């Protein structure tokens, strides 16, 4: 399938508008294929399920003819049939019994019980066990839940044909002939594509004139979902298997070298303090991932996000330094100002419960070099650029767009991240493939280790370009990354 490129979306007020939604209003739930229409045409689905495509079409043909000739029904949705007069229902059910038999429709009596429609229940009940009936409906639904699946298109074709023979749908003769060919095999791929497009466009016309029968749809889903259990499965990735400790040791060795360099060369250099400080923070986050094996954990995403942001910030400040030599002081002041704000809020808060924010530590840090009364507090982004703008300015747009945004979803608890990490998928079509909270299973998300190596190596190379790192040490981390990339490819 070809996906629409981002450039084709209209970006307005911070939102990417899909080109499809520019000229089509989305179909509401009760008219959507899976939720709204499949329950209505489940009787057709059962016929295909029992007899297969060709035989299914062969048997449906006289059924449609009988409904057309003997009733005034203009729709063949199950809800329309159930709401018809007793005499008309009798005609439809007799046609079904004549051409597909009791066994084919019997599974549906678990949904359309005597309480819902006594005539249906009476005509189609047989000795089939409830579990068996439910299983048949589940298997049948599984095949046709996807609205683009071939099985779903076969079913959707049947009401279109009925609308045509009832004269409710009009089209040119050539189009009608083409549509009619659909039920036969051996159409060329090109023809099938044309027919598919024709089916979809006719359906939209019909749907716009249809009113969904919410009561029946609710009855269907309530009955079928209550009769079946969740069938849960977890989509997990392998635990990280690389020799991560080896890489960690190589990086640690380089950071030890930086520490010595700073102490020996210029311990009062503000620029070096800030740059090495930020890089060391990245190292510490990598160290936590290593020590606590967080590569496959949710926390790992927070770690790599922070490493990316740190790297972008380092590049960003070195870029600004050309026109602003006090940038290093400003960075410190900005961060301390944030701490002061937290401190001030805590002092003014009545609730003095024990928390992880320790006001004594904050007080010591805020007052470390400057009396706090002289400390400003800036609540904007540092230098007014958000991280997206900073990344773009230092030519690291991809690092931001491809990874940082994804990890941010985990940091902010957005639904994509919740769905991926904390919900289990239920494989039961009768439950509409819903998701349920994952309480017992361990989460093994795809490992962040490769990205840690990628970003940490970029960070170290950046520091190398500023301060120089012995070639042998750089060679070791580069080799490590090359081996990884080689293995991945
Ligand atoms: Zn379920």
């Amino acid at each position: 399938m070809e996906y629409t490129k981002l450039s084709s979306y209209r970006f307005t007020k911070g939102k990417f508008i899909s080109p499809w939604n520019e000229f089509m209003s989305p179909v509401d739930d009760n008219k959507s294929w899976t939720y709204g229409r499949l329950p209505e045409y489940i009787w057709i689905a059962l016929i295909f399920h029992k007899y297969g495509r060709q035989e299914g079409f062969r048997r449906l043909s006289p059924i449609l003819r009988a409904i057309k000739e003997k009733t005034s029904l203009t729709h063949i949705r199950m809800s329309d049939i159930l709401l018809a007069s007793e005499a008309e229902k009798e005609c439809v059910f007799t046609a079904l019994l004549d051409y597909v038999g009791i066994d084919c429709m019997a599974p549906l009596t678990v949904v359309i019980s005597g309480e819902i429609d006594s005539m249906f229940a009476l005509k189609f009940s047989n000795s089939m066990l409830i579990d068996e009936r439910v299983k048949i409906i589940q298997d049948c639904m599984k095949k046709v839940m996807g609205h683009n699946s071939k099985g779903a298109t076969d079913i959707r074709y049947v009401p279109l044909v009925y609308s045509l023979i009832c004269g409710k749908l009009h089209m040119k003769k050539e189009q009608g002939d083409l549509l009619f060919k659909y039920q036969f095999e051996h159409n060329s791929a090109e023809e099938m594509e044309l027919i598919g497009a024709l089916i979809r466009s006719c359906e939209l016309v019909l749907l716009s004139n249809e009113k969904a029968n919410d009561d029946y749809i609710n009855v269907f889903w309530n009955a079928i979902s209550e009769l079946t259990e969740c069938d849960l499965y977890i989509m997990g990735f392998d635990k990280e298997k690389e020799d991560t400790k080896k890489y960690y040791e190589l990086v640690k060795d380089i950071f030890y070298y930086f520490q010595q360099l700073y102490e020996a060369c210029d311990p009062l250099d503000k620029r070096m303090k800030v740059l090495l400080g930020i890089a060391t923070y990245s190292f510490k986050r990598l160290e936590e991932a290593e020590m606590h094996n967080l590569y496959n954990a949710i926390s790992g995403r927070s770690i790599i996000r922070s490493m990316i942001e740190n790297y972008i910030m380092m590049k960003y400040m070195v870029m600004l330094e050309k026109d602003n030599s006090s940038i290093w002081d400003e960075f410190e002041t900005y961060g301390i100002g944030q701490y002061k704000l937290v401190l001030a809020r805590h002092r003014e808060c009545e609730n003095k419960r024990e928390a992880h924010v320790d006001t004594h530590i904050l007080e010591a840090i805020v007052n470390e070099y400057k009396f706090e009364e002289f400390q400003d507090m800036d609540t904007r982004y540092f230098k007014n650029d958000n991280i997206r703008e900073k990344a773009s300015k230092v030519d690291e747009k991809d690092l931001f767009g491809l990874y940082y945004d994804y990890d941010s979803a985990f940091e902010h608890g957005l639904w994509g991240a919740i769905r991926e990490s904390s919900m289990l998928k239920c494989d039961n079509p009768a439950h509409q493939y819903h998701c349920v909270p994952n309480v017992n299973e361990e989460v093994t998300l795809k490992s962040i280790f490769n990205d840690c190596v990628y970003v940490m190596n970029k960070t170290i190379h950046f520091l190398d370009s500023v301060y120089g790192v012995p070639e042998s040490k750089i060679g070791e981390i580069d080799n490590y990354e090359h081996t990884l990339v080689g293995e991945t490819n």
Side-chain angles (χ1 to χ4, degrees), residues 432-449:
Q432 297 174 14
Y433 297 118
H434 69 155
C435 295
V436 299
N438 171 10
V439 179
N440 291 324
E441 304 294 330
E442 188 192 357
V443 176
T444 48
L445 301 169
K446 192 164 180 187
S447 171
I448 55 149
F449 180 65

Side-chain angles (χ1 to χ4, degrees), residues 229-231 426 428 431 434 436:
E229 302 267 314
C230 277
D231 180 9
C426 167
N428 183 352
H431 291 188
H434 69 155
V436 299

Side-chain angles (χ1 to χ4, degrees), residues 43-70:
W43 66 274
I44 302 175
L46 284 168
I47 295 176
F48 284 123
H49 185 66
K50 184 167 170 67
Y51 294 104
R53 188 173 192 270
Q54 282 309 102
E55 185 61 19
F57 276 127
R58 209 184 62 73
R59 287 175 187 249
L60 273 160
S61 178
I63 295 173
L64 296 191
R65 244 191 340 263
I67 300 176
K68 159 81 173 62
E69 283 163 13
K70 295 176 183 167

